[in-house]
Structure formats: C-alpha cells, structure tokens
Amino acid sequence: MVSSFGVMVCLCHSAVLSLALKLFVSNYMYCFTCAAFSYLPLPHRCPSTTDPFLKASFDNNNDISNMLSDTVYDTILSGKIATVPNFIPPSLTAALRSDAQNLYQSQHFSADALAAYGTETTAKFDPSKDRTVLKLNQWKRNDIGNYKLRSDVFGNGIMGRLRADLARNLDRPNLTKGTSLTYGVGSTEISYTRFGPGAYLKRHIDEHHEELKGKRGWEKPTRRSITWLLYLNEEDWNPDVNGGELRCFQRKNPTSSPVPVGARPNGDLQIGWLRPTSNDRIERAVFLDANRRAIANNGSDKGSCAMYCILENNTQFYMTNNFDPDPVLFLAGGDFFARQLIAKNPSLAPRFHFLEPPRSAADGLLKKFRGGSLIHTEPNDDEILLDVPPIGGTLVLFDSVILPHEVLPSKGRERWAASGWLHEDQQEAH
C-alpha cells in the first residue's frame, strides 16, 4: 500500500512577516514588487502568518532554537523520509523556480551522472525530455541569474541555517565543520534540478561506504550525510495527473532503536541489515569497520575490514573475521559473498542482506524479458513503499546512506526542484 506523504510537519512561527520583508530589503537591497512577495496563508499551513525561515535568513541576531519539529529529527534518525510541507512561502517558491527556468533557457543546465536513467537504453539523450541540473560551479556564479536570491537568501541563508539546525538536533556536529564547509553554498552540494516530461530516475542510494567504492572511495575528503530536496513546482501540480513522485523504499520491520542507523560517530557506514527472526524480532544495522588492521591486528596483514552490529548495551559485536575488501566481489557476489564472510556465525549469515542489492545492465534486460517495468521498482518483501508528491514548497530530508529511492516519471510538464546533500568529513583512509 502506498502512502501519499511521509511525515507531514507544520512549522511553528514566531515573528511577523513584515519584519522579515523589511530585513530582506535592508540586508540584500533586492527589490521585489509588492505583488511578488504578497503572502496568503495556505489552508495546510499553521495559523500564524509568520515566516521564520525568511526572518532567520535575514536577521543574523535572531536565534531560532529549532527550525523543524522533533518528529522530523526522529524520522531522519530512524532511516525514514521526513517531509515538511510549506517550508517556504509560495512567493519564494515562485521566485526560485523563475530563476531556475531562466538559467535553463540560458543553457546553464547540463546532464549529470544519472541523466541516462531518464531514457531507455536505446534512446539518445534529449535534454528537453531528460534530467538536467544547474551544477555547483554554475550555482556559485554571481554573473548569471538571480544570484542574491539563489546564493545569499536561499543557499547561505535558509540552507545555512538548516544545516546548523540539523547538525545540532541530529547530533552530527561534523555537518558544520571541516572540509565540507569550504566549497558549497549552505549545502556542500546544491543545485537546481529539472526533469523533462517523462523523465525519471531508477532506484538507487545516494552514498556508500568508502571501501565499496574502490580506490576512489578514499579520494574525496567528504561524504554525503543528509539528502535534501525542496520542490519548486507550480501550486496546481496534481500528482494523480502530473506524477513525478519521489518513491522511497522504507523498512517494514522495526529497527534496533535507539541504536543509530546509517553512520556511526567514528565514521563507519552501514552496509546492510540483519533481518529479524522469531528469536530476535528487530532488524539490526550492519556496519563495516575498515580500520581492523591497525586496531585488531597490530599491523599484521590479516585483513583490514570486518562487519559488525551494535548490541543493546552499545557494544560492537563483530560478525566476521578480518578480511581485505574487494569492491568487485561485493558488487558481483552480493549477499552471497557477504554471507560467506559471516560463516563463523551460521545463525546470522542467512539474515544478512546489503542495503541495496547489486544491479547490472543484465538486470534490466532480464526485467524487460519478464515483462517488468524498467521505470519503477517493486518493493522487496521487507520494504514499504512511500510516495512523496513534488508539491511546491515541500522540503524532503533523509539519511543519504540507507534509504533506497527513485523518481517516478513526470507527465506532460516539467518538474523543478532545488536539491543537494549536506556533507561531513569522511573518516581517514587506513
């Protein structure tokens, strides 16, 4: 059964919008007409006529303790998707969308690594029909589009405040320090995204353990921590007619709360799950420790990695002997290969599966041969589908490591969003 929304959260407002507008003009000297910034409360918005996000962006002396509700933070920490409708007012949504559209028409958008997912393998890439983005190097240019709105107001203003808020409330202090702050605008990765009519993205996860990416996994100084999207579509977007939903594959079984999922404070990332059994009714996160040679082997060459889970007393239970990682074997062998590593715990081995099963071009051919859809993926038995409509002004947040997701085709119109990732410095290579 597919739900229409994730966690719907109304935001608590604490100041008048007129003050935010005065600060907006005085701080940034950017002129909008009165009509462009007129504000009419929406039926689903909290009754107050305040907009704390605009105020927070323009008043550096104002301190807002939490931008979001506790429900949002708890949802992200549990590995699920959090949605915040009406995160920004319609006027700001329209202004950002106009900036994105103008930059697209000026040919500042380009294809990214996932763009080929938007067409069948036999079709040629068509930027008008597929997925294109305004990449970071273009986003940061002050000579194109509405730079003050894009960078100062939204990027460094709203997203900068959101980043600090999530760092505090998710207990991820590395979101606001280190290398990840040096090359982004409020968010380490930030872009406008356009899906042409019919464009989609296949199921994927946004971040993987460094060892599963091979040598290049240790080349970058940071990793993706939190995925965010802010939809910029028109107010008349109807998901039943226009499609374009973000489809998430959430876990059906209860996880080992309060044990964290996704990442450990020491930088170890989750790579899989242990399915529940009649004797152990919770689903347990499985992490990969890539520092075993230095810690456990005293420098001997017996393998640098081991897989472990966290017990209720917060101790690490190692499920495998030490081994040297081989991304090729992980990707080709999948669950079978990993289960061989857990052979010393025969009761645990059958329970293990990767966060995302390895896929190849052959999978698509086999799926097509069997009459399945190449566009969307059916959930596994231990997953629940959740569809998020791309309603303008809606903010979406989830952990980058553990939530598989895809984008369903938009129908008959363009789908616009601002999107990106908040990074943390990744652990040092060993």
Side-chain angles (χ1 to χ4, degrees), residues 108-128:
H108 291 291
F109 277 55
S110 58
D112 72 343
L114 295 179
Y117 288 161
T119 58
E120 300 296 340
T121 56
T122 57
K124 293 182 179 180
F125 174 71
D126 183 344
S128 69

Side-chain angles (χ1 to χ4, degrees), residues 71-91:
T71 305
V72 172
Y73 310 126
D74 292 341
T75 299
I76 298 170
L77 290 172
S78 69
K80 297 181 180 179
I81 187 169
T83 63
V84 186
N86 304 308
F87 180 73
I88 60 174
S91 52

Side-chain angles (χ1 to χ4, degrees), residues 151 315 363:
S151 183
T315 59
D363 295 325

Side-chain angles (χ1 to χ4, degrees), residues 34-341:
C34 294
F37 252 85
S38 62
Y39 175 71
L40 295 175
L42 295 178
H44 298 295
R45 199 178 177 104
C46 293
S48 170
T49 57
T50 313
D51 198 311
F53 302 102
L54 288 177
K55 178 170 173 52
S57 301
F58 314 131
D59 186 359
N60 293 328
N61 296 320
N62 183 59
D63 181 28
I64 297 177
S65 56
N66 289 337
M67 294 179 74
L68 308 171
S69 75
D70 289 343
T71 305
V72 172
Y73 310 126
D74 292 341
T75 299
I76 298 170
L77 290 172
S78 69
K80 297 181 180 179
I81 187 169
T83 63
V84 186
N86 304 308
F87 180 73
I88 60 174
S91 52
L92 186 54
T93 301
L96 289 168
R97 182 176 65 248
S98 177
D99 184 43
Q101 291 171 335
N102 290 336
L103 291 169
Y104 174 75
Q105 293 296 331
S106 302
Q107 299 184 347
H108 291 291
F109 277 55
S110 58
D112 72 343
L114 295 179
Y117 288 161
T119 58
E120 300 296 340
T121 56
T122 57
K124 293 182 179 180
F125 174 71
D126 183 344
S128 69
K129 298 178 181 179
D130 217 297
R131 179 180 186 262
T132 54
V133 299
L134 182 79
K135 295 183 178 180
L136 181 61
N137 61 339
Q138 296 291 311
W139 179 284
K140 295 169 68 174
R141 286 181 56 179
N142 60 9
D143 61 334
I144 60 173
N146 190 339
Y147 175 75
K148 285 191 175 293
L149 175 70
R150 182 174 69 249
S151 183
D152 295 346
V153 176
F154 179 65
N156 289 321
I158 294 174
M159 293 309 301
R161 288 296 297 264
L162 179 62
R163 180 180 195 139
D165 182 86
L166 292 174
R168 180 177 65 253
N169 287 287
L170 299 181
D171 193 22
R172 299 190 184 187
N174 290 333
L175 286 176
T176 54
K177 62 183 181 181
T179 309
S180 61
L181 290 176
T182 61
Y183 56 95
V185 180
S187 174
T188 317
E189 292 182 75
I190 188 169
S191 66
Y192 284 138
T193 305
R194 174 193 177 273
F195 282 72
Y200 62 92
L201 282 180
K202 290 184 179 180
R203 173 172 168 155
H204 64 283
I205 286 179
D206 287 342
E207 186 58 283
H208 303 273
H209 193 288
E210 295 88 350
E211 289 291 352
L212 300 189
K213 295 185 284 188
K215 292 182 179 180
R216 68 182 181 89
W218 298 104
E219 291 176 352
K220 296 184 180 299
T222 67
R223 70 164 185 88
R224 292 171 175 175
S225 179
I226 298 294
T227 299
W228 64 268
L229 300 98
L230 180 66
Y231 292 118
L232 303 178
N233 295 312
E234 294 87 349
E235 294 181 38
D236 64 345
W237 189 282
N238 182 345
D240 294 332
V241 176
N242 306 122
E245 297 95 332
L246 174 67
R247 171 162 290 182
C248 301
F249 300 83
Q250 299 190 145
R251 306 307 300 166
K252 180 184 295 185
N253 301 301
T255 58
S256 48
S257 179
V259 174
V261 297
R264 298 278 290 151
N266 63 2
D268 291 344
L269 299 189
Q270 184 178 347
I271 63 169
W273 297 99
L274 290 181
R275 292 187 174 93
T277 66
S278 57
N279 296 324
D280 185 12
R281 296 183 179 277
I282 60 175
E283 191 167 45
R284 299 185 181 274
V286 177
F287 299 88
L288 182 63
D289 180 350
N291 192 30
R292 297 300 292 166
R293 177 172 288 118
I295 296 176
N297 294 328
N298 298 318
S300 63
D301 190 18
K302 295 181 180 179
S304 60
C305 293
M307 296 159 58
Y308 67 90
C309 60
I310 307 297
L311 302 181
E312 280 70 17
N313 60 3
N314 203 35
T315 59
Q316 297 181 185
F317 173 73
Y318 282 88
M319 305 156 41
T320 68
N321 294 320
N322 299 336
F323 62 89
D324 281 320
D326 188 337
V328 175
L329 291 178
F330 271 97
L331 295 175
D335 294 352
F336 173 80
F337 169 71
R339 288 169 184 167
Q340 306 312 303
L341 297 172

